[in-house]
Amino acid sequence: MQRAGPEEEAAGAQAAAGGGGGGSAAPAGRLLRRELRLLESIFHRGHERFRIGSACPDEISCEFVPGAADRAGGSAHRGPPPGPVRIHCNITESYPAVPPIWSVESDDPNLAAILERLVEVRRGDTLLLQHLKRIISDLCKLYNLPQHPDVEMLDQPLPAEQSTQEEVSSEEEDEEMPEDSEDLDHYEMKEEEPADGKKMEDEGIGKENLAILEKIKKNQRQDYLNGAVSGSVQATDRLMKELRDIYRSPSFKGGYYAVELVNDSLYDWNVKLLKVDEDSALHNDLQILKEKEGADFILLNFSFKDNFPFDPPFVRVVSPVLSGGYVLGGGAICMELLTKQGWSSAYSIESVIMQISATLVKGKARVQFGANKNQYSLTRAQQSYKSLVQIHEKNGWYTPPKEDG
C-alpha cells in the first residue's frame, strides 16, 4: 500500500501551526484523552456491536461483534456466523498530525481493505473518532448489518476535560523544563500508564519476555539521551506491539517458532522455524540435520525499515541452505506478500512467519546437506530480491491451481 510518509506530514503540520518547540504535545495529549473517554462511554465492554477492550494513550484494543443479526439479515457471508473481529490501534506521540496505525487479527482481505481505505478520511483534531466511525460503518456493510445508531454519537462534542490538582502541578513543572524534554514522553509513556492498563498490556506474557520488552524501552530512552535514536516513532510503536502480540501467541508459546532480537535491535529479528508439517520431506530433513549438526530449525532474518508497517520487512533464509520452497539465491524468498505490491500494513508479523513456514512446505523445500553455507548472504539475497521484484512488476505473479495448494 502506498502512503505518504507520516513523519513528513507531522513536520508539515507542526510548521503550519507555527511551532518549533514541543509546546503543542500537551494539548494534543489532553484532546486524545477526551476522545478515549468518549469512546469508552459509548462502546463499553458490554456493547452489542462494538466494544473497547482497553484504551491508553498509545494503544487501543477493540472488537466488532457481528452477532446473530447477520444471519437474519441475509449476510453475504456463507457458513457459520462469523466471530468477533479483533482490531488494534497504535497512536504515536505526534497524533493527530500522524494518523493512528490500525491492524486486524485476520487474514481476510476484505478486512485489510477496510483499514487501507482510512487514508480517505479527512484529517481533523478528532481523527481517531472519525477513523472508528468509518471502520464500524464499513464493517456493518461488510456483514450486511444495519448501521448502529451509536456510531453517530462519535460526532458529538468531546466531554469537558477533567483537570485534577495533580495535572495542574504537572503542567507547572512542564513550564520549567527545557523544550526538548517533551520528546522524552514517548519513551516514558508506558511508565505513566495506570496500573490497570499496564497489567492488561502485559497479560499473558512470560516474565522472561517481559524483561526483554522492558530492556528495549530502557535502551530506547538511553539512545535518546545519547543522541543516537534510530528508527521512527511509528515503526518502533508498531514493532513493540508486534513483539508483545507474539509473546502472547499460542503458536509462539507452543514452540512453533522463536524470536530473538539481533544485538537487542527492535529492527533486526532472527526467527527460528522450529516446527513444520510433520508429513513433509522438509520435516524429515530437519531431523537428519539435528543428528548431523545439532540444529533442527530453519533460521530466518527479518529486517525492518523506518517506514514499517507501510513497507514490508526484508526476509531471507540464513540457514540451512535449501533447494525448492521458493527460496532464491542468497536466501531471498519469492513471495508476493513480501513485496510492496503484495504487502498490507494490516499484516501481522506472526501471520507472515506462519505463511513462510507453509510456503516452504508447499514449495517442497529440501535441506541441501553438504552445500556451501557461504552462498547465503545479505548482499546476494538483496540482489535476488531486486531481480525478483523487477520480473514480477513486468510479468505479474503466477497463481498456482488449487490442487497445487
Side-chain angles (χ1 to χ4, degrees):
M1 181 178 74
Q2 298 296 327
R3 188 162 175 176
E7 289 191 353
E8 294 176 3
E9 295 170 356
Q14 191 177 42
S24 62
R30 291 196 292 269
L31 181 66
L32 175 58
R33 287 195 292 272
R34 292 165 65 192
E35 286 188 87
L36 294 177
R37 281 204 299 273
L38 179 60
L39 278 177
E40 291 178 305
S41 68
I42 300 172
F43 299 110
H44 49 82
R45 295 187 181 186
H47 197 275
E48 62 182 354
R49 185 65 65 222
F50 194 80
R51 300 166 183 170
I52 302 294
S54 64
C56 54
D58 64 345
E59 186 173 0
I60 301 173
S61 294
C62 46
E63 64 179 17
F64 179 85
V65 186
D70 53 322
R71 287 177 284 179
S75 170
H77 280 66
R78 303 294 182 185
V85 178
R86 293 183 174 83
I87 303 168
H88 301 281
C89 174
N90 286 92
I91 306 170
T92 72
E93 63 176 355
S94 301
Y95 174 84
V98 175
I101 301 168
W102 297 91
S103 59
V104 61
E105 292 183 10
S106 172
D107 295 327
D108 186 343
N110 293 314
L111 299 176
I114 287 174
L115 299 186
E116 289 175 3
R117 286 197 294 271
L118 292 175
V119 294
E120 302 167 3
V121 176
R122 186 175 179 179
R123 295 292 179 86
D125 289 339
T126 58
L127 187 58
L128 175 63
L129 300 183
Q130 296 310 308
H131 271 194
L132 274 172
K133 182 179 180 180
R134 179 68 175 268
I135 289 171
I136 299 169
S137 297
D138 284 358
L139 284 170
C140 285
K141 291 176 185 175
L142 177 65
Y143 289 100
N144 199 26
L145 295 164
Q147 292 294 334
H148 199 284
D150 288 352
V151 173
E152 298 305 320
M153 296 175 67
L154 294 173
D155 289 329
Q156 67 180 316
L158 294 176
E161 186 173 6
Q162 300 172 351
S163 297
T164 63
Q165 184 60 40
E166 194 173 302
E167 288 174 339
V168 171
S169 300
S170 175
E171 288 174 10
E172 289 174 354
E173 288 174 8
D174 288 343
E175 291 175 2
E176 299 172 5
M177 294 174 68
E179 287 183 348
D180 346 355
S181 62
E182 291 274 355
D183 296 335
L184 289 172
D185 290 347
H186 175 66
Y187 301 99
E188 297 173 344
M189 191 172 291
K190 298 296 183 186
E191 297 172 4
E192 295 170 357
E193 288 175 9
D196 290 347
K198 179 70 175 174
K199 183 177 180 182
M200 184 171 293
E201 181 184 81
D202 295 343
E203 189 174 350
I205 302 177
K207 290 183 179 180
E208 182 179 342
N209 295 322
L210 282 174
I212 293 173
L213 293 171
E214 192 60 34
K215 183 178 181 182
I216 293 170
K217 288 186 284 187
K218 287 182 178 178
N219 288 345
Q220 288 171 348
R221 177 175 172 79
Q222 191 59 48
D223 286 346
Y224 177 82
L225 295 174
N226 294 339
V229 176
S230 60
S232 66
V233 172
Q234 68 172 20
T236 296
D237 284 348
R238 177 62 179 267
L239 287 168
M240 284 293 284
K241 176 196 174 301
E242 293 287 346
L243 193 58
R244 193 177 291 116
D245 288 347
I246 281 173
Y247 287 156
R248 290 195 194 99
S249 161
S251 297
F252 175 80
K253 293 179 179 179
Y256 284 85
Y257 66 93
V259 173
E260 179 183 276
L261 303 186
V262 180
N263 297 323
D264 294 327
S265 171
L266 195 56
Y267 288 77
D268 193 2
W269 298 15
N270 278 343
V271 176
K272 293 179 181 178
L273 299 181
L274 302 173
K275 294 181 182 180
V276 297
D277 186 349
E278 294 184 356
D279 295 327
S280 67
L282 181 58
H283 172 78
N284 295 332
D285 284 353
L286 291 176
Q287 299 307 306
I288 297 172
L289 186 69
K290 184 177 183 180
E291 295 175 5
K292 289 187 172 185
E293 301 182 15
D296 59 347
F297 56 83
I298 296 169
L299 180 61
L300 308 173
N301 179 260
F302 281 62
S303 177
F304 302 91
K305 294 183 178 179
D306 294 359
N307 52 357
F308 179 81
F310 302 113
D311 277 356
F314 179 71
V315 185
R316 65 186 179 97
V317 178
V318 177
S319 67
V321 176
L322 302 175
S323 63
Y326 305 102
V327 179
L328 308 175
I333 302 174
C334 180
M335 289 177 65
E336 185 178 13
L337 72 80
L338 295 177
T339 67
K340 287 186 178 182
Q341 292 76 16
W343 176 256
S344 166
S345 60
Y347 292 155
S348 70
I349 298 304
E350 180 177 74
S351 68
V352 174
I353 293 171
M354 302 308 287
Q355 184 62 44
I356 291 173
S357 180
T359 297
L360 292 175
V361 171
K362 184 177 75 172
K364 299 179 173 57
R366 300 296 302 269
V367 175
Q368 291 293 95
F369 296 102
N372 179 8
K373 297 177 182 179
N374 293 329
Q375 64 181 282
Y376 278 5
S377 69
L378 175 59
T379 302
R380 285 198 63 196
Q382 289 173 334
Q383 292 170 347
S384 296
Y385 174 82
K386 186 176 180 180
S387 299
L388 162 78
V389 170
Q390 291 173 343
I391 290 170
H392 287 296
E393 281 181 347
K394 182 178 180 181
N395 302 318
W397 288 83
Y398 168 69
T399 302
K402 288 185 178 179
E403 56 268 24
D404 290 349

